[in-house]
Amino acid sequence: CLCVLDGISYTFGMFLDPLMEELKCGRSGISAAGSLQVGVYSMSGIFASRLVTRYGPRPVCIAGTVIASLGLVLASYSWNLPSLLASYSIVTGLGFGLMYIPAVVAVAEHFTKRRALAMGICVCGTGVGTFLLAPVELSLLTAVGWRWTFVCMGGLCSLCVVCGAAMSPVDLCPISTGRRLRRRRSTIVSIHGAMQDDLRWSTESIPKEASCLNQCMASFLSKELLESPALSTYLLVALADGVATLALFIPFTFLPDLAMAAGVSSEDAAFLISAAGISSSVGRILSGWLCDQPWCNPIVLTTAAVASAALPSLLLPWVSVYPLFLLLSCMFGLLTGLWISATSPLLVRVLGLSLLSPAFGLMTAIQGAAALAGPPLAGAATDWLDDRGVGLHCTGGMLIAASGVFVVAYWHNRRREMRQHYQDI
């Protein structure tokens, strides 16, 4: 599932030129379709996790597959930008959100040993899908055009019904007590592959009445999170992560067009996205191994990865030969993969394991909004200045700004840890 849905999302840049030509829209308008899809996909994760908790992964994943496939087929009939936004961005994005959470939940429920390794392999589907689908989409675009390519992607997505059907329910054995028990399934909120498993028994009494306002607030924050002494550090981390996410999808959208303008063939330009995707998978695995080491501080690793990722972004507009395009694309994928995979250990370091789930709720919304805004803003700047490299310059600037906020968060967290240490003494 992750291979298909993230592969389709991350390779939207392949459709940029044909959609601009036929729908008569600028880069900012077309790139808004891709970023809106990612935004809907990300922000629907909270809603999807509630459905999985209640109904289990299988029906939610199958329903999401049907919705996403329908959205992709409807996108092939788009005649203007609003119709593309409605079909590809909203309908397909909602379907992808309903597919993603069940996919990782099913892994968590079925693995009791080496669960972290199993989940790490699972999220590598993002990079593998990007690597495989970019050249496939290029071939289809050349042979049959963008409309039939959307239909083919819808057909590929529909095959994930089989994956959903394979998500067999896990037998749950409730414990008898004098209180009403509520079994929470493995609810995982995922941000670009960074996940938190919340598989546990809850012996709390089920409230008879709960206001809609309280339920909405509980989706983002909790009383424990609001009372945490690390709340200010967490908010700084969330701000920095949001700024970095604002930049994350810009290269995936504009890099093929930039490379072709420099004389790179369309096939080689498509492979740049594939190379970045597979490098991201390597970075995620490496980051998981590093964060398991006692000497590694996830905040320092994240800060270094985000700051370093700005370098290839700033250099790409000045490159004119394919080997350098390929090298810098791989660097960007590797470094952003390090950052993405370190998100979960970072929040555990700052907040502790018990507050990780509510913390991810707010970060989901922030990152969804950031992913929604980044590519359209870069596209508007590119159209306004008539310079294809502006989007990559924006990426580098935002990553540098994000790393600066991460430094402030590290300093703030270090002061808090030292103060807590002195109090314990």
Side-chain angles (χ1 to χ4, degrees), residues 50-67:
R50 300 297 186 267
L51 292 177
V52 171
T53 301
R54 181 163 185 172
Y55 300 107
R58 176 184 285 172
V60 178
C61 183
I62 293 175
T65 300
V66 173
I67 294 172

Side-chain angles (χ1 to χ4, degrees), residues 5 20 113 138 143 194 209 254 266 274-275 279 294 315 355 367 380 403 407 413:
L5 66 92
M20 286 172 54
K113 294 181 180 180
L138 176 63
E209 296 181 358
F254 296 100
S266 57
S274 299
S279 299
L315 291 178
L355 294 179
Q367 292 193 347
S403 65
V407 169
N413 188 63

Side-chain angles (χ1 to χ4, degrees), residues 142-225:
T142 304
V144 298
W146 67 269
R147 294 186 184 274
W148 279 104
T149 301
F150 271 136
V151 173
C152 292
M153 292 299 103
L156 177 63
C157 184
S158 67
L159 298 178
C160 291
V161 169
V162 179
C163 300
M167 299 175 187
S168 58
V170 177
D171 292 333
L172 304 176
C173 301
I175 303 172
S176 298
T177 65
R179 310 174 75 179
R180 294 176 64 193
L181 292 183
R182 179 171 65 196
R183 171 63 169 113
R184 291 183 181 177
R185 289 181 175 270
S186 177
T187 302
I188 299 179
V189 180
S190 175
I191 314 291
H192 307 313
M195 297 168 297
Q196 162 59 18
D197 183 16
D198 191 25
L199 184 61
R200 61 184 182 270
W201 288 95
S202 174
T203 56
E204 64 190 14
S205 300
I206 299 176
K208 295 182 179 178
E209 296 181 358
S211 68
C212 293
L213 178 60
N214 289 338
Q215 292 178 1
C216 292
M217 291 181 63
S219 299
F220 297 96
L221 296 174
S222 67
K223 181 181 178 182
E224 292 79 9
L225 180 59

Side-chain angles (χ1 to χ4, degrees), residues 54-398:
R54 181 163 185 172
Y55 300 107
R58 176 184 285 172
V60 178
C61 183
I62 293 175
T65 300
V66 173
I67 294 172
S69 301
L70 177 63
L72 288 167
V73 173
L74 290 176
S76 69
Y77 292 94
S78 300
W79 64 93
N80 55 19
L81 182 59
S83 61
L84 182 67
L85 293 173
S87 56
Y88 179 80
S89 304
I90 297 177
V91 178
T92 304
L94 176 61
F96 282 172
L98 294 177
M99 291 168 63
Y100 197 107
I101 298 298
V104 292
V105 165
V107 173
E109 287 188 341
H110 283 80
F111 285 84
T112 56
K113 294 181 180 180
R114 296 185 176 88
R115 180 180 293 159
L117 176 60
M119 293 167 65
I121 294 172
C122 175
V123 298
C124 285
T126 298
V128 174
T130 306
F131 177 79
L132 294 176
L133 286 186
V136 171
E137 288 179 354
L138 176 63
S139 299
L140 289 172
L141 286 168
T142 304
V144 298
W146 67 269
R147 294 186 184 274
W148 279 104
T149 301
F150 271 136
V151 173
C152 292
M153 292 299 103
L156 177 63
C157 184
S158 67
L159 298 178
C160 291
V161 169
V162 179
C163 300
M167 299 175 187
S168 58
V170 177
D171 292 333
L172 304 176
C173 301
I175 303 172
S176 298
T177 65
R179 310 174 75 179
R180 294 176 64 193
L181 292 183
R182 179 171 65 196
R183 171 63 169 113
R184 291 183 181 177
R185 289 181 175 270
S186 177
T187 302
I188 299 179
V189 180
S190 175
I191 314 291
H192 307 313
M195 297 168 297
Q196 162 59 18
D197 183 16
D198 191 25
L199 184 61
R200 61 184 182 270
W201 288 95
S202 174
T203 56
E204 64 190 14
S205 300
I206 299 176
K208 295 182 179 178
E209 296 181 358
S211 68
C212 293
L213 178 60
N214 289 338
Q215 292 178 1
C216 292
M217 291 181 63
S219 299
F220 297 96
L221 296 174
S222 67
K223 181 181 178 182
E224 292 79 9
L225 180 59
L226 289 171
E227 295 175 351
S228 171
L231 177 63
S232 56
T233 303
Y234 163 70
L235 293 177
L236 285 170
V237 169
L239 173 62
D241 201 73
V243 174
T245 305
L246 197 67
L248 177 63
F249 292 95
I250 294 174
F252 288 98
T253 303
F254 296 100
L255 182 56
D257 183 51
L258 176 68
M260 286 187 286
V264 176
S265 67
S266 57
E267 293 82 3
D268 288 340
F271 186 75
L272 295 177
I273 303 299
S274 299
I278 203 67
S279 299
S280 177
S281 294
V282 174
R284 295 178 193 214
I285 297 173
L286 177 61
S287 178
W289 179 81
L290 288 173
C291 290
D292 280 339
Q293 307 307 310
W295 46 265
C296 180
N297 187 327
I299 304 181
V300 175
L301 176 62
T302 301
T303 304
V306 170
S308 301
L311 180 61
S313 304
L314 294 172
L315 291 178
L316 276 167
W318 304 98
V319 171
S320 58
V321 294
Y322 182 70
L324 286 179
F325 270 116
L326 184 60
L327 175 63
L328 294 175
S329 299
C330 290
M331 285 181 58
F332 182 82
L334 178 69
L335 293 168
T336 53
L338 285 169
W339 149 47
I340 290 165
S341 189
T343 302
S344 179
L346 187 157
L347 290 181
V348 171
R349 175 70 177 261
V350 172
L351 297 170
L353 186 61
S354 61
L355 294 179
L356 190 51
S357 185
F360 263 127
L362 179 58
M363 289 190 70
T364 301
I366 293 174
Q367 292 193 347
L372 175 64
L377 290 176
T382 300
D383 289 339
W384 181 46
L385 298 174
D386 195 23
D387 183 357
R388 288 181 171 87
V390 169
L392 278 300
H393 290 313
C394 291
T395 299
M398 286 185 281

